[in-house]
Amino acid sequence: MKKLKTSSQFKKDYKRFRNNPKKVKKLFEVLNLLKNESAIPETYRSHSELFG
């Protein structure tokens, strides 16, 4: 199990999302996956593969 460290960007994003419970729930689901070193579903993966 990994230990997650919050960054300034995370704090800003969380502050923006905290009024929307659905986004906060999704955020913590992904954080739990990262913390447990599980595979991340395709829906949460980076879009850096896109070009054009």
Side-chain angles (χ1 to χ4, degrees), residues 12-50:
K12 289 176 186 178
D13 290 341
Y14 181 72
K15 187 176 180 181
R16 197 167 16 126
F17 291 155
R18 69 180 174 199
N19 294 327
N20 190 337
K22 289 181 183 178
K23 286 187 179 182
V24 172
K25 183 179 176 185
K26 284 185 179 182
L27 176 66
F28 282 107
E29 286 176 5
V30 173
L31 289 175
N32 283 331
L33 289 173
L34 291 171
K35 186 176 179 181
N36 295 326
E37 299 181 40
S38 302
I40 299 174
E42 288 292 325
T43 55
Y44 297 121
R45 294 208 181 200
S46 165
H47 298 288
S48 63
E49 303 158 356
L50 299 177

